[in-house]
Amino acid sequence: MTIAELNAIKAQYEDLIKIRTIVREEGEKMAAHTGYRKQVLVCGGTGCTSSSSAKVIEQLETSLKELGLDDVLIVKTGCFGLCALGPIMIVYPEGAFYAQITPEHAKTVAEKHLVPGGSMVKEYLYEGTIHEDGSIIPFAETPFYKKQLRIALRNCGVIAAESIEEAIGAGDYQALAKVLSGMSPDDVINELLASGLRGRGGAGFPTGRKWQFAKASVNDVKYVCCNADEGDPGAFMDRSVLEGDPHCVIEAMTIAGYAIGAHQGYIYVRAEYPIAVNRLNIALEAARKHGLIGKNILGSGFDFELELRLGAGAFVCGEETALMTSIEGHRGEPRPRPPFPAVKGLFGKPTILNNVETWANINPIIMNGAEWFKSIGTEKSSGTKVFALGGKINNVGLVEVPMGTTLNEIIYEIGGGIPNGKKFKAAQTGGPSGGCIPADAGDVQMDFDNLAAIGSMMGSGGLIVLDEDTCMVDIAKFYLEFTADESCGKCTPCRIGTRRLLDILNKITDGNGEPEDLEKIDEIANHMKSSSLCALGQTAPNPILSTMQHYIDEYKAHIYDKTCPAGVCKSLLNYYIIEDKCKGCTLCARNCPVGAISGTVKNPHVIDTAKCIKCGACIEKCKFGAIIKK
Amino acid sequence: MVNLKINGIAVSVPEGSTILDAAKVANVKIPTLCYLKDVQKCGSCRMCLVEATGARGLVAACVYPVSEGMEVQTNTPKVRQSRKTTLELILSTHNKKCLSCARSTSCELQRLALEYNCDEDKFGSPEEYPVVDDSSVSLIRDNSKCINCTRCVAACDMQTVGAIGPIRRGFAKHIGSPFEVALADTNCVNCGQCIVACPVGALTEKSNVQQVWDAISDPTKEVVFYTAPSVRVQLGEPFGNPVGTNVEKKMVTAIKALGQNVKCFNMDVTADLTIIEEATELLSRVTTGGTIPMFTSCCPGWIKFIEHNYPEYLDNLSTCKSPQQMFGSLLKTYYCEKNNIDPANLFVVSVIPCTAKKFEVERPEMNLDTDVALTTRELAKMISEAGIDFNAIPDGEYDNPFEIATGAGAIFGATGGVMEAALRTAAVKLGGEGQPIEFSEVRGTDGVKEAEYTIGGVTVSVAVASGLGGARKIMEMIKSGEKNYTFVEVMACPGGCINGGGQPYVPDEIRNSIDVRAVRANALYTYDESLPLRQSHKSPVVDLLYKEYFGEPNSHKAHEVLHTTYTARNKFN
Amino acid sequence: MTQIPFKGTPEQEAELKAFIETKKHEPGCLMPVLQEAQRIYGYLPVEVQQMIADGLGVTLAEVYGVSTFYSQFTLSPKGKYKVNVCLGTACYVKGADKVLEAIEKKLGISAGGITPDGKFSIDTCRCVGACGLAPVVVINDDVYGKLTPDMVDDMLSHYID
């Protein structure tokens, strides 16, 4: 394919896609000449697919056929970001946002809304998009979206994820065309350096410098790798990009190949992401067919091939040298650095590795320039960051905000606050390598350096919100269980240290903690930080150290008073019935699996704490809030 | 050259050197556990951490490259604390039965724990210990003592055997055989290179010491020992002699002092006998169109390796028994007949630097002619247990009639030695007297050595494999048709028997600074040079054996007593 | 490790060997081959791993070491219905452990196990990426979200015939 052919496809699809991002009236005018009166975007990301969006699409197709509506386009997109409301469906040009759609709802929408002269089915619209006067707020104007700035996620939820034409229409491969037709490798690297882009995978190393090192390494064979082994439990931004806009990764890796002098790339993707793997395969095939990878790309004479490699469930393979060892077909154990991958990486050749979100930023930087990118975010962390908002928060989903946005803005304005009127206690960032930000530090401006300064880290962008019911010792234990399980076992501090730390935390949460345990934690944790072979071991103690820093009183309560203030650690709790609140309905006694509750109808019941196994079944059943644990 | 400072000491080392290399030049000691020269360099145990300018945090000296102007500190509070905690973490998983451990006093972990003032109970030891695998007749794996340094795996991989490997990950990571089967049920060739690599007591030979004591104290038994060529240059080490000291004469005295009427013979005799039988076999194969190339059959590790991996080449193996088994058979036949002894009452003990020989003794083909194979290490233990002051005892001589051997027999202990010994005799047979004695092309510790000789109009193309890695290379070249050899020597252990699986433990500190294999091999070559007879066909003992018993080489009688057969095995078990 | 006898068919063996032939010259092909073998056989017993070691010319120890390093490879067969409980952070803070307990109790096996009739197996995983639906359980290809322990009976009833 030539650049002219590329641009022809772009011209053909551009307006169709633009309608999905502009205001209603203009969109209606444009719709007329696209051939489609209406476009229905249905999320086909993992979250919505899990809640049966495929059946919604099937139903829509049937209904459109029955109604003879051939001027309505159904678009299966990637993730919109608001996973909690899935399956999600948006109708353009009006931007009507339907949430938690069932196939029956879809049928009704087709019959009432999509037919000529139809109107929105208000009862299925997401309540957050309806004004008091009944008019609707376009999706982009909702509080969830308004504070966001979507650069990496620019095409996610906007284009048909399996269509290369739509990807091209949305601007994918324009940066590649620009690079191949008029920029030298050094121009590309200088643009990146000037943009201040830092790796989005965790450590925040300047991307341009990485590329510069790899370019400087003299070798006939070099490699470009994409880290899509998103292992942080609770982070799924990379998956969303791969599901929503796989071509942006392919394009960016090809640009990198050109910049450093590599002709082969590998995308290492989690096998747990079947939809992403499938879309990547479709995208690679399409790109190959269109000559956007392969030989003589866009007539430039530059060759670049890409291969997909599937991970097999090892968190440590997110570490760059472990990932390369894994692609080489071995146990994913990290290697000592130096030599750094830019000098001696995959198969012993100079290699660069960036994560998906980093790749997703390349096209906009090339197209809009370093100055534009630098104007977003903070001085030392330019651009945006995607966070996977999860845990005890209303708007669970993916959000992309400029670096420097405060934690409170993310939680209260975008995230819609904490459910059930509970109190915000802390946010956990950086996953098993990160730490906790306590509620009183909620005005922290989220960027690489500020998070590190308060003992947490950006990590890949998992942001788990914890409320007052969360025990911080238990949370530390949760992460330690994870890292102990995921440690590769190569180096001593991590292999044995994670286990011994976990032993001590188990001892504490079981009520057997001793004062010197805190000193032992300190010794092992600091040892792991200073002496482990790779970042997994060096950062594994962070969840403990940061919870100890901010919530030492909780640790002490477990150790000295043998109580769990949040009421989580089973061994330290007993269940009681508050006499005044108990109506004597007997529901609790009937649901107790061990017969520990006694009492007669309409009289307060009593729990025999000796028999009670603390399963919590009674609390869940009690309608009067009469059962407490303390 | 790169200039740097280690603890303020300026040194200049070649580019590509590690901090550990540079520290050696500066005479600064850095502790190691997982590092082993020529075997493994992976930076995993974290014992060798140091501070270096330009590096973030502590770095592993064994893998960290030096750079110009670098300043390294190996003895700071941070470094000492890190090493101590590393050791204490290891000790929390280690079965600390040090008093009765075979490696007590030669254990690298024990030494470091002492040096770093460790509290071995600091982090408890909450887990149950894994069970011991004593299924193999040659070696025992006790994972309760394993520190996961993976040196054994590296050694096994160098041998291209792959009988063991890392299994699972994290704290559950351990070393074992695929699918956790017992070692006896794997393709393990019993070479014992894993034992030699192990810094602790997780791998040891299966001891036969008690059996030997029992025989010595049994009045109905006559006990005879015979010692393999390389034992004389190894046995001194456990008694404080430098690597490569030849202690043959004290060894003989010590063995005879183990009990009354214990005799000690020289196994070099059957090495000479092997040469006569094998050279005859080779010439016969060459002249009658037999299967070529012929492979040596002295090494039981190699025999099991080829049985598992190249069973289609078993006809290429010389049918000669190994010198150990020739000796056992000779004793149970010729010697018993001559001295009117009931073979059932003769207890035959070979002393060898090898663990595979224990397996060889038990092969059904061998009829238990040799009752027990003792490693050099086991012999040293017996000597200590018997209260023999090894360095103080007088010199002694081997017993008659297996006393005198040639230098050709002695060099069997080093890689290339069998080949050289064969060439010494073949050269004379083909070209008459006046041929060279030394064939240095086949000496040295390279994995594969090749040479071609034309003697008396006949050209022989030979190859020598030092270690099974080299053997696999040679086999693949033969298989693909790339190479055509006449005769191939294989010793399973890199460097030959002087680096066998039954040799004395060499402390890491020494092993990482000198080439132990080369030093011991040199001691054998020096011994060879000192002997009046250096060609097997000149051995008066061998001469007598043919005259009195076998008639001539490869005779019917010789075949009955001195030759054997092989068994094809599965690749995996 | 499984005690169940190996029941591979000649067709399966031919399929795996053909795949190995196409891959054996690609660098680093052991992982893709193991993944394909697991797709064909459902698990990776010794017979299959020996075929792979043989076909690729690597040691069995290497194959076994890799197969036990990654949590997706399994050495024992899985149930007809593979119940996978997500224990990622988002699911955990929303009570996935209690859901797991309820499933274990209902099926009478613990995570990692298989029911004696071979019908159900339970495994846990770290984040399927459906955090919006936490806590999540995946049974074969069906996803169940926003679960509570008392929804478990109903969820499993779809598979108990």
Side-chain angles (χ1 to χ4, degrees):
Chain A
M1 163 186 280
T2 62
I3 292 178
E5 285 163 335
L6 180 76
N7 290 338
I9 297 179
K10 181 169 188 276
Q12 191 188 340
Y13 283 86
E14 182 163 54
D15 287 351
L16 199 63
I17 291 156
K18 208 179 250 172
I19 292 168
R20 303 169 196 164
T21 56
I22 56 176
V23 291
R24 186 176 170 174
E25 292 75 18
E26 231 180 296
E28 270 168 2
K29 269 183 250 158
M30 283 172 74
H33 73 89
T34 60
Y36 292 106
R37 188 170 42 81
K38 292 218 187 291
Q39 301 189 40
V40 187
L41 275 64
V42 184
C43 174
T46 293
C48 286
T49 304
S50 300
S51 43
S52 315
S53 70
K55 285 186 189 139
V56 169
I57 293 177
E58 228 171 83
Q59 178 61 51
L60 273 176
E61 280 165 351
T62 313
S63 295
L64 292 186
K65 211 177 211 173
E66 281 169 11
L67 296 165
L69 301 177
D70 53 7
D71 55 355
V72 176
L73 179 67
I74 302 172
V75 183
K76 187 166 97 182
T77 70
C79 181
F80 292 96
L82 252 177
C83 307
L85 299 177
I88 291 171
M89 180 169 110
I90 303 179
V91 180
Y92 290 103
E94 52 271 66
F97 185 105
Y98 292 104
Q100 288 171 322
I101 280 286
T102 64
E104 292 72 47
H105 292 171
K107 188 165 182 270
T108 315
V109 170
E111 288 162 0
K112 294 197 173 156
H113 181 183
L114 301 181
V115 291
S119 56
M120 284 176 275
V121 186
K122 286 207 171 141
E123 57 266 44
Y124 302 155
L125 289 173
Y126 171 42
E127 55 186 346
T129 61
I130 310 173
H131 275 306
E132 278 171 22
D133 64 3
S135 64
I136 67 148
I137 319 167
F139 185 43
E141 294 295 310
T142 57
F144 177 74
Y145 267 63
K146 216 164 49 187
K147 278 254 168 183
Q148 295 194 48
L149 176 62
R150 291 166 72 105
I151 295 175
L153 300 178
R154 63 195 175 278
N155 292 330
C156 291
V158 176
I159 59 170
E162 293 173 13
S163 158
I164 191 171
E165 288 81 9
E166 289 220 347
I168 292 171
D172 281 354
Y173 296 107
Q174 287 299 315
L176 180 63
K178 182 174 173 184
V179 164
L180 293 181
S181 62
M183 288 174 82
S184 70
D186 282 326
D187 292 342
V188 175
I189 290 171
N190 287 334
E191 196 72 42
L192 272 193
L193 283 170
S195 75
L197 175 66
R198 293 169 68 172
R200 301 305 197 231
F205 190 81
T207 308
R209 281 207 3 236
K210 213 182 236 186
W211 292 24
Q212 200 175 26
F213 291 145
K215 179 174 183 288
S217 290
V218 182
N219 206 306
D220 291 345
V221 179
K222 297 182 187 181
Y223 294 106
V224 176
C225 291
C226 170
N227 184 353
D229 189 47
E230 191 169 50
D232 171 358
F236 50 99
M237 58 286 297
D238 292 348
R239 195 208 66 211
S240 275
V241 171
L242 296 176
E243 286 177 0
D245 188 12
H247 287 284
C248 81
V249 174
I250 297 172
E251 176 190 18
M253 290 180 73
T254 312
I255 292 173
Y258 172 78
I260 70 160
H263 301 286
Q264 173 71 44
Y266 288 92
I267 302 175
Y268 187 89
V269 58
R270 278 187 97 194
E272 291 93 327
Y273 286 172
I275 297 178
V277 170
N278 184 34
R279 300 235 166 109
L280 269 172
N281 272 322
I282 292 170
L284 283 172
E285 201 178 314
R288 210 167 280 133
K289 211 174 115 200
H290 283 78
L292 291 164
I293 52 173
K295 298 266 175 222
N296 189 22
I297 297 166
L298 293 173
S300 64
F302 175 67
D303 306 336
F304 191 73
E305 225 353 292
L306 266 175
E307 194 182 316
L308 208 58
R309 283 294 173 94
L310 264 56
F315 175 67
V316 68
C317 290
E319 198 276 345
E320 59 177 3
T321 60
L323 184 147
M324 291 171 199
T325 318
S326 181
I327 292 181
E328 290 166 7
H330 306 296
R331 293 163 58 87
E333 292 180 354
R335 304 192 276 242
R337 298 176 305 183
F340 288 95
V343 178
K344 203 176 165 195
L346 185 62
F347 300 116
K349 304 292 181 190
T351 304
I352 52 166
L353 173 80
N354 286 118
N355 95 321
V356 172
E357 190 187 337
T358 315
W359 291 122
N361 277 292
I362 302 297
N363 170 304
I365 291 173
I366 299 290
M367 294 312 290
N368 304 324
E371 277 314 304
W372 163 80
F373 193 75
K374 199 128 186 58
S375 72
I376 302 159
T378 60
E379 195 197 332
K380 286 188 175 160
S381 303
S382 47
T384 56
K385 179 75 195 88
V386 184
F387 290 100
L389 213 47
K392 307 288 183 66
I393 185 136
N394 280 314
N395 294 339
V396 172
L398 271 194
V399 302
E400 181 171 359
V401 291
M403 293 273 192
T405 305
T406 69
L407 178 61
N408 283 337
E409 283 174 285
I410 294 174
I411 289 180
Y412 292 107
E413 297 181 36
I414 299 172
I418 315 295
N420 307 324
K422 296 278 184 176
K423 242 170 72 190
F424 169 46
K425 183 173 186 176
Q428 210 282 351
T429 64
S433 306
C436 285
I437 308 168
D440 57 23
D443 56 0
V444 61
Q445 294 191 315
M446 308 273 279
D447 72 6
F448 288 107
D449 307 298
N450 289 339
L451 286 184
I454 57 169
S456 186
M457 70 182 285
M458 183 72 89
S460 55
L463 203 165
I464 303 289
V465 181
L466 308 172
D467 69 7
E468 57 192 295
D469 290 343
T470 314
C471 167
M472 301 314 275
V473 186
D474 182 63
I475 276 292
K477 197 173 84 178
F478 169 79
Y479 281 112
L480 243 297
E481 269 169 11
F482 179 85
T483 39
D485 187 34
E486 295 290 347
S487 162
C488 80
K490 182 172 179 172
C491 80
T492 313
C494 180
R495 182 182 68 246
I496 307 177
T498 48
R499 169 54 68 111
R500 292 290 168 257
L501 283 177
L502 184 58
D503 288 346
I504 298 173
L505 289 180
N506 276 326
K507 192 177 152 200
I508 292 174
T509 54
D510 283 348
N512 301 319
E514 297 167 277
E516 62 263 34
D517 286 336
L518 292 176
E519 286 160 38
K520 282 187 189 167
I521 289 179
D522 215 49
E523 182 178 342
I524 299 174
N526 284 312
H527 177 61
M528 289 176 65
K529 272 176 94 112
S530 72
S531 306
S532 294
L533 174 61
C534 83
L536 188 152
Q538 287 159 9
T539 59
N542 286 353
I544 306 195
L545 289 173
S546 104
T547 48
M548 272 174 62
Q549 182 190 341
H550 298 296
Y551 302 95
I552 188 70
D553 289 346
E554 279 190 43
Y555 280 85
K556 287 183 175 163
H558 284 73
I559 293 171
Y560 293 101
D561 310 333
K562 309 291 178 204
T563 59
C564 173
V568 171
C569 298
K570 268 191 187 177
S571 307
L572 299 175
L573 297 176
N574 281 311
Y575 285 66
Y576 299 98
I577 296 178
I578 304 167
E579 216 182 304
D580 297 348
K581 288 193 180 173
C582 180
K583 308 279 187 215
C585 74
T586 75
L587 197 58
C588 60
R590 280 186 278 131
N591 276 286
C592 177
V594 291
I597 305 179
S598 57
T600 50
V601 185
K602 294 192 179 163
N603 289 312
H605 282 46
V606 185
I607 299 176
D608 179 351
T609 49
K611 274 192 187 171
C612 171
I613 56 163
K614 302 167 186 177
C615 68
C618 54
I619 290 197
E620 275 164 34
K621 293 291 171 193
C622 180
K623 291 172 181 156
F624 311 104
I627 304 175
I628 54 157
K629 20 179 203 177
K630 65 176 183 191
Chain B
M1 296 298 272
V2 179
N3 301 296
L4 71 156
K5 280 185 178 165
I6 313 251
N7 297 348
I9 305 164
V11 286
S12 189
V13 292
E15 199 154 329
S17 301
T18 63
I19 292 177
L20 188 64
D21 298 331
K24 256 173 230 152
V25 176
N27 290 318
V28 168
K29 218 173 93 182
I30 295 176
T32 56
L33 271 177
C34 67
Y35 171 79
L36 194 60
K37 187 165 74 76
D38 303 324
V39 176
Q40 180 171 264
K41 186 174 153 181
C42 64
S44 70
C45 75
R46 317 308 281 171
M47 268 315 291
C48 67
L49 295 190
V50 297
E51 290 187 50
T53 49
R56 234 172 14 137
L58 302 171
V59 300
C62 70
V63 288
Y64 204 87
V66 296
S67 56
E68 185 64 33
M70 178 186 261
E71 290 188 24
V72 176
Q73 295 294 333
T74 72
N75 179 27
T76 65
K78 197 175 168 189
V79 165
R80 286 195 304 270
Q81 181 61 51
S82 167
R83 291 177 185 164
K84 185 175 177 179
T85 308
T86 293
L87 287 166
E88 286 171 340
L89 285 172
I90 293 174
L91 289 167
S92 78
T93 66
H94 187 73
N95 184 356
K96 297 173 278 288
K97 280 182 92 174
C98 299
L99 290 181
S100 55
C101 179
R103 291 300 299 270
S104 197
T105 71
S106 70
C107 171
E108 300 293 335
L109 179 64
Q110 187 184 42
R111 185 175 58 73
L112 289 169
L114 196 63
E115 281 178 13
Y116 283 87
N117 238 328
C118 291
D119 171 357
E120 72 263 48
D121 292 325
K122 184 165 204 176
F123 301 117
S125 34
E127 292 84 14
E128 270 183 35
Y129 294 124
V131 290
V132 174
D133 179 358
D134 60 356
S135 61
S136 158
V137 298
S138 293
L139 37 110
I140 296 175
R141 168 173 282 285
D142 180 355
N143 268 353
S144 73
K145 292 174 182 164
C146 176
I147 60 167
N148 269 298
C149 70
T150 67
R151 278 165 35 167
C152 56
V153 177
C156 197
D157 285 348
M158 270 178 72
Q159 294 286 62
T160 69
V161 170
I164 49 170
I167 297 171
R168 299 184 66 186
R169 70 180 183 215
F171 193 75
K173 177 183 173 183
H174 61 281
I175 310 303
S177 305
F179 290 87
E180 315 277 1
V181 297
L183 198 57
D185 300 329
T186 68
N187 60 341
C188 169
V189 302
N190 306 303
C191 71
Q193 284 299 306
C194 55
I195 301 178
V196 176
C198 183
V200 294
L203 284 158
T204 49
E205 74 278 353
K206 187 176 258 180
S207 175
N208 295 101
V209 166
Q210 192 52 46
Q211 255 175 290
V212 179
W213 282 132
D214 289 348
I216 289 174
S217 52
D218 182 344
T220 66
K221 298 274 186 206
E222 193 163 320
V223 179
V224 292
F225 279 62
Y226 56 98
T227 64
S230 56
V231 178
R232 58 172 64 83
V233 297
Q234 293 177 342
L235 186 65
E237 293 167 29
F239 301 103
N241 295 283
V243 173
T245 309
N246 186 340
V247 294
E248 178 191 299
K249 290 183 189 299
K250 289 200 190 300
M251 170 180 76
V252 171
T253 306
I255 288 174
K256 292 191 197 176
L258 291 175
Q260 282 178 353
N261 297 323
V262 170
K263 287 199 161 64
C264 183
F265 296 135
N266 186 354
M267 202 200 285
D268 301 9
V269 167
T270 44
D272 283 331
L273 187 58
T274 300
I275 290 302
I276 304 305
E277 285 293 313
E278 212 164 73
T280 308
E281 183 186 358
L282 178 65
L283 289 176
S284 145
R285 285 186 188 225
V286 171
T287 52
T288 64
T291 311
I292 289 288
M294 189 173 86
F295 303 146
T296 59
S297 57
C298 307
C299 170
W302 155 239
I303 297 296
K304 191 156 185 271
F305 181 82
I306 191 172
E307 286 175 337
H308 280 296
N309 296 289
Y310 300 96
E312 67 274 28
Y313 284 93
L314 292 184
D315 286 345
N316 294 64
L317 281 170
S318 161
T319 57
C320 289
K321 285 182 185 169
S322 70
Q324 162 174 285
Q325 293 307 135
M326 280 194 184
F327 215 115
S329 304
L330 205 53
L331 288 169
K332 291 273 168 86
T333 56
Y334 167 79
Y335 181 76
C336 282
E337 285 168 33
K338 200 175 167 182
N339 295 290
N340 218 0
I341 302 168
D342 177 358
N345 290 333
L346 185 73
F347 193 83
V348 176
V349 181
S350 75
V351 183
I352 31 74
C354 178
T355 43
K357 290 282 182 198
K358 287 177 184 282
F359 177 82
E360 187 183 36
V361 161
E362 308 251 341
R363 285 179 75 104
E365 300 91 339
M366 298 306 172
N367 197 27
L368 272 181
D369 285 346
T370 299
D371 291 272
V372 158
L374 279 188
T375 61
T376 311
R377 288 191 295 268
E378 287 168 278
L379 175 61
K381 284 213 160 169
M382 288 186 76
I383 293 170
S384 299
E385 205 179 338
I388 296 163
D389 186 351
F390 188 82
N391 294 316
I393 53 177
D395 288 351
E397 297 294 340
Y398 284 115
D399 285 308
N400 203 276
F402 306 114
E403 184 184 353
I404 299 165
T406 73
I411 59 172
F412 261 53
T415 173
V418 176
M419 180 61 71
E420 185 170 345
L423 289 168
R424 288 180 189 179
T425 291
V428 174
K429 284 203 172 186
L430 293 168
E433 288 298 328
Q435 301 295 329
I437 296 283
E438 292 183 359
F439 295 83
S440 54
E441 298 79 5
V442 297
R443 294 185 182 184
T445 51
D446 290 348
V448 175
K449 291 162 283 182
E450 293 171 310
E452 205 169 81
Y453 301 100
T454 306
I455 313 160
V458 178
T459 299
V460 285
S461 170
V462 303
V464 173
S466 164
L468 291 173
R472 192 180 286 276
K473 273 188 203 144
I474 289 176
M475 289 308 294
E476 290 301 322
M477 289 193 289
I478 292 172
K479 220 175 157 174
S480 69
E482 188 186 335
K483 290 285 166 70
N484 290 305
Y485 301 112
T486 323
F487 189 34
V488 177
E489 176 209 291
V490 178
M491 293 196 193
C493 293
C497 310
I498 40 99
N499 187 38
Q503 63 176 299
Y505 298 115
V506 183
D508 281 3
E509 211 186 325
I510 294 175
R511 216 177 144 181
N512 287 335
S513 52
I514 62 165
D515 186 346
V516 172
R517 296 172 302 180
V519 175
R520 288 193 190 138
N522 277 336
L524 280 185
Y525 289 119
T526 309
Y527 175 64
D528 165 40
E529 278 169 37
S530 74
L531 290 177
L533 301 170
R534 299 180 67 192
Q535 291 154 309
S536 296
H537 58 274
K538 296 203 170 146
S539 159
V541 180
V542 169
D543 208 38
L544 184 75
L545 283 171
Y546 282 108
K547 273 189 190 134
E548 284 192 359
Y549 201 63
F550 295 117
E552 56 184 41
N554 289 8
S555 67
H556 181 70
K557 185 83 176 170
H559 262 283
E560 221 167 62
V561 178
L562 305 177
H563 290 250
T564 186
T565 56
Y566 306 101
T567 313
R569 295 172 199 269
N570 182 300
K571 190 169 182 176
F572 301 109
N573 50 41
Chain C
M1 208 143 331
T2 178
Q3 300 301 317
I4 296 171
F6 179 60
K7 287 192 211 133
T9 64
E11 291 76 29
Q12 288 175 316
E13 187 171 336
E15 192 181 355
L16 176 59
K17 285 190 169 157
F19 186 78
I20 289 173
E21 275 310 304
T22 65
K23 285 279 165 189
K24 67 195 252 191
H25 299 295
E26 277 179 27
C29 61
L30 178 54
M31 294 261 293
V33 167
L34 281 169
Q35 281 159 340
E36 180 69 5
Q38 182 156 304
R39 190 194 63 73
I40 295 170
Y41 289 94
Y43 69 120
L44 298 168
V46 61
E47 293 83 357
V48 172
Q49 296 204 21
Q50 287 182 350
M51 268 183 247
I52 294 171
D54 217 16
L56 296 179
V58 296
T59 65
L60 186 61
E62 167 88 18
V63 179
Y64 187 71
V66 171
S67 73
T68 56
F69 184 87
Y70 297 95
S71 56
Q72 288 223 314
F73 295 128
T74 171
L75 303 182
S76 43
K78 293 287 161 195
K80 182 177 170 199
Y81 300 111
K82 297 175 253 306
V83 181
N84 219 330
V85 183
C86 179
L87 290 184
T89 318
C91 288
Y92 181 78
V93 299
K94 290 197 170 172
D97 50 339
K98 294 204 174 65
V99 174
L100 174 61
E101 257 174 51
I103 295 172
E104 289 177 328
K105 208 172 131 198
K106 175 77 187 168
L107 296 178
I109 50 169
S110 9
I114 177 167
T115 52
D117 60 2
K119 205 152 170 206
F120 289 96
S121 55
I122 311 178
D123 281 292
T124 60
C125 64
R126 304 286 188 183
C127 201
V128 292
C131 306
L133 303 174
V136 172
V137 169
V138 184
I139 301 179
N140 290 356
D141 291 330
D142 304 334
V143 180
Y144 296 87
K146 299 181 183 171
L147 287 168
T148 59
D150 51 7
M151 290 160 75
V152 162
D153 274 14
D154 185 48
M155 173 182 80
L156 291 175
S157 69
H158 294 99
Y159 306 94
I160 300 171
D161 9 76

